[in-house]
């Protein structure tokens, strides 16, 4: 019986096509939704708009509101050294779990410029 097999094949192809389109649409939606976190650096601490969010792509908007230079490092990525009043944006993908962030300049981290961001 060729006919039932053929129609089954067409139905399967249709299902696969729909799934394919759906997964492309989902991938586009996920790529478009990055979580933005604002970070204010001062002596000697960071103030984040949030320290917990769903894992994925993050945009950390870092501004130095202090009187000396600072930077911001998380998940192996780091901003440039920011002079007072300067800002930088860090785009980073965070996997599920805790991610430590620090200022890498001198001993700033030991003075308090560090913390943990939790990607859920
Ligand atoms: Cu610093």
């Amino acid at each position: 019986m060729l006919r039932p097999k053929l129609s089954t094949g067409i139905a399967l192809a249709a299902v696969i096509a729909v799934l394919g389109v759906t997964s492309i649409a989902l991938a586009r939606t996920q790529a478009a939704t990055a979580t933005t976190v604002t970070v204010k650096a001062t002596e000697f601490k960071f103030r984040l708009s949030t320290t917990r969010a769903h894992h994925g792509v993050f945009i950390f908007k870092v501004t130095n509101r202090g009187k000396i230079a600072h930077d911001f490092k998380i998940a192996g990525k780091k901003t440039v050294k920011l002079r007072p009043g300067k800002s930088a944006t860090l785009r980073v993908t965070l996997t599920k779990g805790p991610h430590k962030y620090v200022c890498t300049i001198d001993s700033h981290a030991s003075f308090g410029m560090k913390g943990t961001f939790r990607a859920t």
Side-chain angles (χ1 to χ4, degrees):
M1 294 281 270
L2 186 68
R3 224 179 165 80
K5 272 189 188 165
L6 190 65
S7 62
T8 304
I10 289 165
L12 260 176
V15 167
I16 288 163
V18 167
L19 284 174
V21 169
T22 305
S23 68
I24 288 164
L26 277 172
R28 283 205 183 127
T29 304
Q30 282 167 354
T33 47
T35 304
T36 300
V37 179
T38 62
V39 181
K40 306 240 182 290
T42 54
E43 294 80 39
F44 284 98
K45 65 184 176 198
F46 285 118
R47 199 176 294 272
L48 277 66
S49 57
T50 183
T51 54
R52 191 184 185 91
H54 191 265
H55 67 280
V57 178
F58 285 83
I59 294 165
F60 289 92
K61 288 187 171 175
V62 187
T63 303
N64 184 359
R65 295 264 181 242
K67 291 177 167 60
I68 62 170
H70 296 293
D71 66 12
F72 180 81
K73 184 183 182 185
I74 188 165
K77 280 199 165 185
K78 179 172 93 160
T79 65
V80 293
K81 187 172 177 174
L82 294 167
R83 285 180 289 121
K86 296 292 177 187
S87 297
T89 296
L90 200 63
R91 187 184 171 89
V92 60
T93 300
L94 297 182
T95 53
K96 205 181 270 194
H99 297 272
K100 292 203 156 111
Y101 58 84
V102 291
C103 174
T104 69
I105 295 167
D106 298 332
S107 302
H108 294 189
S110 67
F111 298 156
M113 297 193 80
K114 62 178 176 181
T116 303
F117 190 92
R118 289 176 203 288
T120 57

